[in-house]
Amino acid sequence: MKKILVTGGAGFIGSHLVRLLVKKYPDTLFVNLDNLTYAGNLANLTDISSEPNYEFVKGDIVDEDFIMATFDAYRFEGVIHLAAESHVDRSIASPKEFIMTNIVGTVNLLNAARFYWKDNFEGKRFYHVSTDEVYGSLGDEGKFLETTPYDPRSPYSASKASSDHLVRAYHHTYGLPVVISNCSNNYGPNQFPEKLIPLILNNIRHNKPLPVYGQGTNIRDWLYVVDHAKAIDLIYQKGINGETYNIGGNNERQNIDIVKTLCRIMDRQLGRPEGDSEKLITYVKDRAGHDLRYAIDATKIYEQLGWQPEVQFNDGFEKTVAWYLENQQWLDEVTSGNYLKYYDKMYRER
Ligand code: NAD
Ligand code: TYD
């Protein structure tokens, strides 16, 4: 059986990707390697966990010996690398974990792939999943292209940019067959409620203040997570080695509009009077170095591989809210314990 390693498969995007791949390719074994940090949750994958072409391995990509031993045991033909520290606010509070996981962890995987593929790269592929945040911040005009110079501005985006450069360097220097994609903000089920959309949903549920950073006018380009997973599958199958593909939702919104839309949908779904949840909106101290606007130009992946988002924003948003309301136990579980400490610390001083 062909074996593909997926790192970070217990996280938000990784779990949607693993589900898609396990169902679509029954003749390939997908090994999900994840350290189950606060953001990783095997409950995201209960529906596919006993499939014969799925295995879970718990471990840290920063642990070089463990990574080499795992490659030795499985002899993967491909790697799809998503494991990362992924939250900008945490990177501002504590950059070093981001350097370790996002940079050192990526190098460990690159080295293992290079060693076990022994410079015979036929049929092999190393796919690095990255973010649009490496391109920096836009003004009112323009969009990020694959050729936009890197200009990362948070410890998170700097660590992802660094890993992207290393992946490209291994391609140019050693010929490692790599592809990279840089995607805009994802939303959907199973996202950890430190990120804007699930955090706001969770706070509305508990009648807690809805923290909007600064004026709420920062803009993100939102994509439904399953559309991202489909793009990753397509790029893994059809992308060209050495190339980068931008993935985006073509769907820019100001944060305050996202928050108000969530309030309206939640009022309706919870049977609250119209306008009730909006009263919870609280403008708080802005994020340090807060990037103003992200927007992706996804022409390349559309023209070369035929990908475009399938889920319209309104449908995706309704589906997302419905999922969190139907899965309140999931939210309760991930927001108990350490989450409360995190929330208190992060938002006390805002
Ligand atoms: P996430 O934080 O939900 O999940 C990350 C996963 O990686 C978790 O399961 C965690 O346990 C695992 N992990 C973290 N450190 C690890 C380590 N040292 N060893 C092994 N596993 C480890 O993140 P996400 O939102 O699903 O993002 C996945 C990837 O996609 C990341 O590389 C991120 O940079 C990228 N990305 C995310 C978005 C987004 O909007 N969320 C957009 C574009 C790109
Ligand atoms: P986030 O979900 O953290 O994603 P990213 O910073 O990677 O884009 O934040 C999305 C936007 O929402 C970003 O502009 C910061 C803002 N934001 C808030 O206004 N309040 C919050 O509590 C959070 C977590 C984010």
Side-chain angles (χ1 to χ4, degrees), residues 11-13 34-35 37 40 60-61 82 86 101 130 156 160 186:
F12 167 48
I13 300 168
D34 196 298
N35 206 22
T37 68
D60 188 347
I61 59 169
L82 294 96
S86 66
T101 289
S130 192
Y156 164 65
K160 291 296 290 188
N186 285 210

Side-chain angles (χ1 to χ4, degrees), residues 164-234:
D164 292 10
H165 289 318
L166 285 159
V167 172
R168 279 192 197 100
Y170 273 61
H171 176 68
H172 290 290
T173 309
Y174 308 115
L176 197 76
V178 309
V179 278
I180 299 179
S181 59
N182 296 83
C183 187
S184 63
N185 286 62
N186 285 210
Y187 70 95
N190 303 98
Q191 188 170 30
F192 192 79
E194 63 188 352
K195 306 273 167 61
L196 178 70
I197 290 173
L199 184 143
I200 295 293
L201 274 169
N202 194 41
N203 284 14
I204 294 176
R205 199 165 70 96
H206 292 296
N207 266 310
K208 278 171 69 171
L210 311 180
V212 174
Y213 297 170
Q215 307 295 307
T217 47
N218 300 64
I219 292 173
R220 299 292 182 261
D221 173 2
W222 294 95
L223 177 69
Y224 190 63
V225 62
V226 176
D227 277 331
H228 187 189
K230 288 180 181 172
I232 293 173
D233 173 33
L234 183 66

Side-chain angles (χ1 to χ4, degrees), residues 81-96:
H81 174 38
L82 294 96
E85 288 293 338
S86 66
H87 188 39
V88 174
D89 291 323
R90 283 187 195 253
S91 84
I92 293 168
S94 180
K96 195 160 175 196

Side-chain angles (χ1 to χ4, degrees), residues 260-279:
K260 285 185 175 170
T261 306
L262 285 172
C263 288
R264 276 195 297 277
I265 302 177
M266 285 290 274
D267 282 347
R268 200 177 67 236
Q269 299 235 14
L270 294 173
R272 292 183 182 171
E274 212 180 300
D276 213 37
S277 299
E278 274 196 26
K279 292 184 199 138

Side-chain angles (χ1 to χ4, degrees), residues 66-298:
F66 163 75
I67 291 299
M68 291 302 265
T70 308
F71 268 74
D72 194 41
Y74 284 97
R75 305 293 167 135
F76 302 112
E77 285 173 47
V79 175
I80 308 181
H81 174 38
L82 294 96
E85 288 293 338
S86 66
H87 188 39
V88 174
D89 291 323
R90 283 187 195 253
S91 84
I92 293 168
S94 180
K96 195 160 175 196
E97 281 111 302
F98 288 70
I99 308 308
M100 295 311 292
T101 289
N102 298 0
I103 306 177
V104 177
T106 301
V107 170
N108 287 341
L109 291 163
L110 288 166
N111 283 339
R114 192 177 154 229
F115 182 81
Y116 281 97
W117 295 346
K118 301 260 188 268
D119 294 332
N120 175 12
F121 298 133
E122 194 56 41
K124 307 292 195 300
R125 174 152 276 187
F126 189 106
Y127 185 154
H128 179 61
V129 175
S130 192
T131 167
D132 62 353
E133 305 192 23
V134 298
Y135 297 121
S137 181
L138 293 164
D140 294 338
E141 300 288 316
K143 292 187 176 198
F144 298 133
L145 285 158
E146 287 80 358
T147 49
T148 302
Y150 275 30
D151 182 23
R153 295 149 47 100
S154 74
Y156 164 65
S157 54
S159 68
K160 291 296 290 188
S162 177
S163 62
D164 292 10
H165 289 318
L166 285 159
V167 172
R168 279 192 197 100
Y170 273 61
H171 176 68
H172 290 290
T173 309
Y174 308 115
L176 197 76
V178 309
V179 278
I180 299 179
S181 59
N182 296 83
C183 187
S184 63
N185 286 62
N186 285 210
Y187 70 95
N190 303 98
Q191 188 170 30
F192 192 79
E194 63 188 352
K195 306 273 167 61
L196 178 70
I197 290 173
L199 184 143
I200 295 293
L201 274 169
N202 194 41
N203 284 14
I204 294 176
R205 199 165 70 96
H206 292 296
N207 266 310
K208 278 171 69 171
L210 311 180
V212 174
Y213 297 170
Q215 307 295 307
T217 47
N218 300 64
I219 292 173
R220 299 292 182 261
D221 173 2
W222 294 95
L223 177 69
Y224 190 63
V225 62
V226 176
D227 277 331
H228 187 189
K230 288 180 181 172
I232 293 173
D233 173 33
L234 183 66
I235 292 169
Y236 187 83
Q237 300 298 333
K238 303 257 165 67
I240 293 169
N241 285 334
E243 290 288 313
T244 292
Y245 299 89
N246 278 356
I247 307 169
N250 202 14
N251 185 34
E252 292 179 51
R253 309 274 153 149
Q254 287 195 341
N255 294 339
I256 188 65
D257 294 336
I258 293 283
V259 173
K260 285 185 175 170
T261 306
L262 285 172
C263 288
R264 276 195 297 277
I265 302 177
M266 285 290 274
D267 282 347
R268 200 177 67 236
Q269 299 235 14
L270 294 173
R272 292 183 182 171
E274 212 180 300
D276 213 37
S277 299
E278 274 196 26
K279 292 184 199 138
L280 297 169
I281 292 176
T282 309
Y283 292 91
V284 298
K285 189 170 157 227
D286 209 352
R287 174 184 280 172
H290 196 172
D291 287 342
L292 179 66
R293 175 174 165 252
Y294 304 143
I296 281 280
D297 183 331

